Each structure stands twice: as structure tokens, then as C-alpha cells.
Amino acid sequence: MRKMNRLPLSPNLKRFKFFFDLLKRTTDDYLFLADMQENMMMVSPNLVQDFELPGEILEDFNRCWFALIHPEERESYRKSIETVLQHKSREHLLEYRVKSRKDGYVWIRCRGCVGLDREGRPSIFTGVMTRLSQRNQADEVTGLLNKYQFERAVKSALSSYRSTGEGGAILVFGLDNFKIINETHNRVVGDRVLKEVARQIEAVLPQEQTLYKLDGDQFAIVCPGAEEKDVAELFATIQGCLAHPYTVDGRQYFNTVSAGTVLYPQGGKDYLVLHKHAEAAMDLAKQAGKNRNCLFSKEQYNRWVRSITMRDSLWDCVENDCEGFSLFFQPQVRASDRELIGAESLLRWRNPKGRMVAPMEFIPILEETKLIVPVGKWIFREAVRICKEWRKVRPNFRISVNMSYEQVKDLSFKKYALECLERYELPTEAIVLELTESKIVADWSFVNQQFDAFRQAGIKIAMDDFGTGYSSLASFKNLSCDIVKIDREFVKKILENDFDKKLVEYVVALCHSMGIEAYIEGVEDIEEYKLLTEKCKADAIQGYLFGHPESEENFEEKFLKGDKYLEPCSPPQSH
């Protein structure tokens, strides 16, 4: 091997070669000695033997070595070496994977130190590389085998499949809402919780199963020979052991788990692919409500990838001043005489490819990523701008703006809203803020405090989708609002169901007794309208009977240029 490389040594390396040759006989580790001023390195023969290096004397060692480093570790290696080469540090310590001649990628720990010459300039860089056969097998917090051992186990299972034809499954699961523990207490407490959870799960696993600790709050199990029902039973066992509170440092905690299962070879024949698919399935389980196990399927995975892509597109749109977003408006009429009194603004989004995306797809992503906060401010600004123009035609016109609970928590929103109204010289009574009932029942005190501040400023508050939450009557008792919007669920069978008719009638009466206006949503039939107006005494109507959501231009053309008293539309078509 050394005959392939007959570069002459630099004077600096010649000075130390005798000592270098003595040292390399005393250890199985890999040694290196670099002349930093000549960019030349001398390495021990075992490094050349085990890795694809041209010889023991190398010019520009980093160029040869960098190509062998695993792609995932290249950036951390580059940064560490740059600090040495740029004289920002005299020490280098890093663990990373390098491609060997025989064993594929192996872990090494590299420790180096810079020596200075008499003038104090960096002169030599020397150190040792140690091969780590099972790089830190155990997770430091839980004592479980770590993600690198999980990788080895999956690869071993795949190798067994290729030999025997018997597949299996991989289960990856994480604790639901674990970050709340870290945020409420601290990471030390969080680590103790993870340790206790790991202890409880290990105690109920079958003896042949190994529990692995991955990053964060994630765990994994490899199940050779298992089928879907076997993994379902295993997950049920894990759920069962965590079904009761447990105590850590005298305090009780409770966690549910969400999991993703991928079967092999159906879900992949490669470790990275299988791990990615299992994590995607786990993410879908969390999105579906948590505390469940989701089996990977190609269709679900494609939807998951689409949501990730959509998330990136939404970020780009928000950063470009909400490019791609628009507002549509559905008319609201006074029930007694069908006069157009306002409209509800509804957010629409056209993705970068020009396709209109359904609100039920993109709004949950806005909520999850907190992008709803800047988008909500854009919605409010647009609604104010448009309302200002429309009040020139209808002086008392009001626009309702849906408000996210994330915006309620944003203490800067009230100031922004009032400044926006002032800038457009629009009176506060021209805007109504709507919040869905199911989003507010968990935090009455805080929500009321925020809403009272808006109401004192003259902005009305509406409770949207009344009746769809789990404590509607408590809403009357606890929530400060001016308008209740009764959901379509109570309307669609009102003509054939006396219970629904009586319920709406009593809810409207209760609203009126408390000085609250009652709006009815989702009205599609003229007979429904008559009943809601004459019998139930509703204050305002919104629904396809008087108009579908329309763009700003279409709304102006259809509803503002004609008579202010709207005529019922023809029977609704699919929309």
C-alpha cells in the first residue's frame, strides 16, 4: 500500500517521523500528524489499510477524507475542521461515520490538537482516531439501546427477510404532548419522566421484544414475523400500561402514546425508507387525534407528503405578504325583512400551482404552525379595507371575521385591530369577531378577558358553530358575547323533527333573554327560513338560500348593486 504513495515529507513532518513511527507500534488506533503550513499529512498504515486512502503521506488530506464521511455527518465535520483551520480553536473532537473498505460505514471518534511554532503560529495538527464498534450503545437517559442499535436491528431483520422470506413490522411511537412537561417544568424532569415511561413499557413487553430509545420522546420496537394484528395487540399492551397516572419526584403524570406501524417488505426494503414511513404513520396518528396506532399505507403517506409540501408553500405565501390568499364573502340578511346587513369573510387559498385548496385542508396547517397569527392579521386588514368601501353603498354594513384561538392568545392583536380600524377610519361596530365554540370552552377566564377588551372598544363578539361543542349551555353561562350563530346541524331536519324545532326556538329565546342576537347558519330552504323567522324569531339568516360565498368582485356585483332586500336563491346545487 505504501508503494503507491512516495511523496517527500515536509521538513516539519521529518522532524517528528521518528516519534510517530514509535507511537503507531503501541496502539491499534489510527494516528495522524499534519503539517498545517504545507497542507501535508502523515497517517498510520492501519488507516490506509481500513479506508480508501491512496497512501500514508497525503497532500490535502481533507479532500480525500471528506468524500468517505457519511453525508449526514459531513456538515458537522466541515464546521469542526474549519474552526481549527481558521485558528478559532486548537482542539478537534467529533464522532462521525466513515466508509471503510470492508464494513461499510463505521463510527469513529476523532480527537486532535494543534501545536504552535516558536512564533505562536499553528504548525502541526496531530491526534488519534478510535474506531467505535458499537458507538455508545445505550441511551444516556433511559438506559435503553439507542437509535444506532435500532438501525442495526432493522438491518438485521431485513437481512433475515432476504434469507428466509419472512417479513415483519416496525413500531415507532412517541409520547403525546410531552413538550408540555419540558416547558412546564424543565428538561431534567422530562428526562425522569422518559426514564419512568421506558421502565413501565419494558415491564410489559414480551421477553423476546427489545425496546429502543430514539430521538426526543420517541421509542421503537422491531417485530420480525409479526403481522398487523400482532402489532395492534402489542400497541394495546403499551397503551394499557400507560393508562394510569404515574409518580415522578412526588408529582403525578399521565401520558398517552401515538404510534406508526410499517410492515416490511410491503412498506419498504431499506432501513431509511422504513423508518421514514413509520414516522410518517406516527405523525398521521397524532393528526388524527393522538392516542392511537396508524398503519402505514401508500395513500396515507402521499397525503402526509402533500401536507408537508403544503406547509412549505404556506410559509412561502405568508412571507410574500400572504400572496395566494383571498377572501370570499357570504351574505347575512335580517330575518324579518331579508335586508342585507353584512357578510361573513371566509379565507380561501390558491397554491403556487394555481389550484384552489379546500379550507379544511390548509386551515388546520395554519393553526398547527401558528401561521394563522400573521394570516389572521392580513384577513382583518383586508376585511376592514373592503368593509370601508362597501359601507359607501350600505352605510350600516358589517363584516364578520373568523378569529383563531391562537389570535386570542396573541396579546398584540387587539392593538393591531384598533390601529387598522383607525387607519381606514372605520367605526368599530363595522367588524364582528367570530370564534368557534369548541375552541374556547377550555379557557373561559382568559378568553372573556380578551373579548371584554374588544367589546369595550366597540367590536362585537360572535360565538360561531353553536351546538357543535361539548358544553353549549356552559357557553351561555361563561362566555361574553353579543351574537350566537346556531349551527346548520340544528336546521337541516327542523321541518321534520319537532325536537330540533323546539330546541332552536328555546335557544333563540334564551339568547334574547340575555340580550344576545341569534343568527342561524346553513339555511337552504324557503320553508326553513319561514319557520326560523315566524316561529323561532331568529334575528339574522346566513346560508345558500340567500347566497353562496363569493369573491370580492362577485359579491359587489350580486349583492351591493341591486336591491338591499335579497330574494331567495334557487334550490342549492353542489358547491
Side-chain angles (χ1 to χ4, degrees):
M1 190 71 66
R2 274 172 280 182
K3 291 179 181 180
M4 296 170 58
N5 183 253
R6 295 185 175 276
L7 293 173
L9 289 174
S10 67
N12 220 2
L13 292 182
K14 284 182 179 179
R15 288 174 51 207
F16 296 103
K17 186 176 186 305
F18 173 75
F19 301 103
F20 188 80
D21 288 341
L22 284 177
L23 284 172
K24 68 188 184 185
R25 297 175 188 171
T26 65
T27 179
D28 292 328
D29 290 337
Y30 308 115
L31 305 179
F32 62 88
L33 176 64
D35 184 336
M36 298 184 71
Q37 295 171 5
E38 297 291 336
N39 193 22
M40 177 175 281
M41 181 175 282
M42 179 165 53
V43 300
S44 55
N46 57 350
L47 191 67
V48 178
Q49 179 181 334
D50 291 352
F51 299 92
E52 293 284 350
L53 293 176
E56 295 173 34
I57 310 300
L58 299 161
E59 289 181 322
D60 197 5
F61 169 81
N62 270 328
R63 181 178 58 82
C64 302
W65 192 243
F66 191 78
L68 301 177
I69 296 173
H70 193 285
E72 291 182 6
E73 274 90 45
R74 285 177 183 172
E75 182 62 16
S76 57
Y77 174 84
R78 183 187 62 77
K79 289 180 179 179
S80 180
I81 289 297
E82 278 186 358
T83 61
V84 173
L85 297 179
Q86 294 173 3
H87 310 158
K88 296 179 181 178
S89 173
R90 292 179 58 187
E91 294 187 355
H92 164 73
L93 176 60
L94 193 66
E95 292 181 3
Y96 54 93
R97 285 172 285 183
V98 187
K99 189 173 184 180
S100 69
R101 291 183 185 271
K102 297 179 181 179
D103 303 321
Y105 283 103
V106 297
W107 282 98
I108 66 164
R109 178 186 292 117
C110 182
R111 183 188 298 270
C113 187
V114 174
L116 307 179
D117 62 15
R118 292 178 180 178
E119 285 74 35
R121 298 173 302 176
S123 175
I124 63 168
F125 179 47
T126 187
V128 60
M129 299 182 192
T130 304
R131 187 160 172 171
L132 306 177
S133 59
Q134 290 185 315
R135 192 222 186 197
N136 303 330
Q137 291 188 27
D139 172 66
E140 293 181 3
V141 173
T142 62
L144 299 174
L145 292 179
N146 63 20
K147 61 181 180 181
Y148 305 107
Q149 303 309 307
F150 170 65
E151 179 179 347
R152 291 183 63 188
V154 173
K155 288 179 176 178
S156 175
L158 289 171
S159 177
S160 177
Y161 154 72
R162 285 188 282 271
S163 299
T164 65
E166 183 181 57
I170 294 170
L171 180 72
V172 172
F173 57 95
L175 303 186
D176 295 328
N177 303 318
F178 176 72
K179 69 176 183 178
I180 294 176
I181 295 175
N182 281 334
E183 291 173 356
T184 304
H185 304 289
N186 54 57
R187 291 192 175 277
V188 173
V189 174
D191 287 348
R192 290 172 183 161
V193 167
L194 286 173
K195 188 173 183 178
E196 176 60 22
V197 167
R199 186 191 68 79
Q200 293 201 30
I201 295 175
E202 271 204 306
V204 298
L205 287 183
Q207 190 171 4
E208 68 275 9
Q209 297 287 3
T210 299
L211 182 65
Y212 297 89
K213 174 65 173 60
L214 309 185
D215 291 330
D217 57 47
Q218 291 186 18
F219 298 83
I221 301 173
V222 183
C223 310
E227 298 178 355
E228 180 182 350
K229 63 179 181 60
D230 302 315
V231 183
E233 292 173 1
L234 180 63
F235 179 71
T237 300
I238 295 171
Q239 277 185 311
C241 83
L242 297 177
H244 306 286
Y246 53 89
T247 301
V248 175
D249 294 340
R251 186 186 296 270
Q252 283 200 325
Y253 298 90
F254 174 76
N255 293 102
T256 57
V257 288
S258 296
T261 297
V262 59
L263 301 176
Y264 64 87
Q266 302 95 311
K269 300 178 182 179
D270 171 80
Y271 162 73
L272 291 177
V273 171
L274 286 171
H275 193 185
K276 177 178 68 174
H277 288 171
E279 285 194 316
M282 179 181 67
D283 195 30
L284 288 168
K286 289 181 180 289
Q287 291 178 22
K290 304 178 181 177
N291 193 28
R292 64 192 65 202
N293 176 34
C294 180
L295 179 67
F296 169 82
S297 72
K298 194 65 177 178
E299 294 76 20
Q300 285 183 320
Y301 179 73
N302 289 337
R303 286 199 297 271
W304 179 78
V305 170
R306 184 164 176 262
S307 74
I308 298 297
T309 304
M310 194 182 302
R311 188 175 308 178
D312 293 339
S313 297
L314 287 167
W315 272 104
D316 291 340
C317 290
V318 171
E319 289 179 351
N320 290 305
D321 195 27
C322 292
E323 179 184 17
F325 289 104
S326 61
L327 292 183
F328 275 45
F329 300 88
Q330 186 172 32
Q332 297 169 334
V333 302
R334 187 161 51 220
S336 59
D337 57 7
R338 304 192 309 277
E339 179 182 352
L340 178 67
I341 59 173
E344 179 180 358
S345 60
L346 301 162
L347 184 63
R348 297 292 184 263
W349 179 56
R350 196 177 294 275
N351 68 17
K353 293 182 179 180
R355 187 181 73 84
M356 193 70 86
V357 182
M360 67 180 65
E361 289 188 68
F362 72 85
I363 288 180
I365 296 176
L366 291 178
E367 295 268 3
E368 177 190 341
T369 58
K370 306 296 189 291
L371 286 174
I372 195 66
V373 174
V375 172
K377 289 181 177 179
W378 178 87
I379 293 171
F380 191 89
R381 187 183 73 219
E382 283 292 287
V384 169
R385 176 187 66 79
I386 293 168
C387 191
K388 174 69 175 180
E389 293 300 313
W390 289 354
R391 280 173 79 93
K392 294 175 183 178
V393 182
R394 299 278 191 271
N396 295 320
F397 196 87
R398 298 192 307 194
I399 288 185
S400 296
V401 178
N402 287 289
M403 188 177 184
S404 162
Y405 181 54
E406 294 299 329
Q407 286 175 274
V408 178
K409 294 190 291 184
D410 175 19
L411 301 183
S412 70
F413 181 70
K414 174 176 170 286
K415 180 181 178 183
Y416 174 86
L418 295 178
E419 287 176 350
C420 198
L421 289 164
E422 183 178 354
R423 183 165 67 251
Y424 284 93
E425 298 180 336
L426 190 70
T428 54
E429 63 266 20
I431 296 294
V432 177
L433 293 177
E434 295 188 10
L435 189 67
T436 301
E437 176 205 353
S438 59
K439 299 289 185 183
I440 57 182
V441 292
D443 200 357
W444 297 114
S445 177
F446 172 75
V447 170
N448 275 333
Q449 184 181 357
Q450 299 304 104
F451 279 1
D452 284 342
F454 283 107
R455 297 177 77 201
Q456 288 168 13
I459 298 176
K460 291 188 179 295
I461 300 296
M463 180 199 303
D464 196 13
D465 299 335
F466 176 81
T468 59
Y470 57 83
S471 56
S472 300
L473 290 177
S475 305
F476 279 119
K477 177 182 177 182
N478 295 302
L479 184 65
S480 298
C481 69
D482 305 284
I483 299 168
V484 164
K485 299 183 72 176
I486 299 173
D487 190 71
R488 164 72 183 161
E489 278 298 312
F490 290 98
V491 177
K492 60 185 181 183
K493 293 185 178 180
I494 198 170
L495 296 175
E496 56 191 71
N497 189 320
D498 283 341
F499 178 84
D500 283 0
K501 180 175 66 178
K502 285 290 185 184
L503 187 59
V504 173
E505 185 180 346
Y506 290 150
V507 169
V508 172
L510 182 58
C511 285
H512 290 166
S513 72
M514 300 171 67
I516 296 174
E517 295 181 76
Y519 285 29
I520 311 294
E521 296 183 291
V523 180
E524 299 182 356
D525 185 272
I526 188 65
E527 296 302 323
E528 291 174 355
Y529 164 68
K530 290 179 180 178
L531 178 61
L532 291 167
T533 303
E534 298 167 5
K535 182 71 174 175
C536 299
K537 309 297 182 184
D539 295 294
I541 300 293
Q542 179 179 334
Y544 291 167
L545 180 65
F546 292 103
H548 291 80
E550 302 284 355
S551 66
E552 178 183 351
E553 297 77 12
N554 288 350
F555 190 94
E556 290 176 1
E557 187 67 32
K558 288 187 176 183
F559 303 114
L560 294 181
K561 291 186 177 180
D563 194 329
K564 66 178 180 179
Y565 299 100
L566 301 190
E567 291 298 324
C569 301
S570 56
Q573 305 297 317
S574 59
H575 190 81

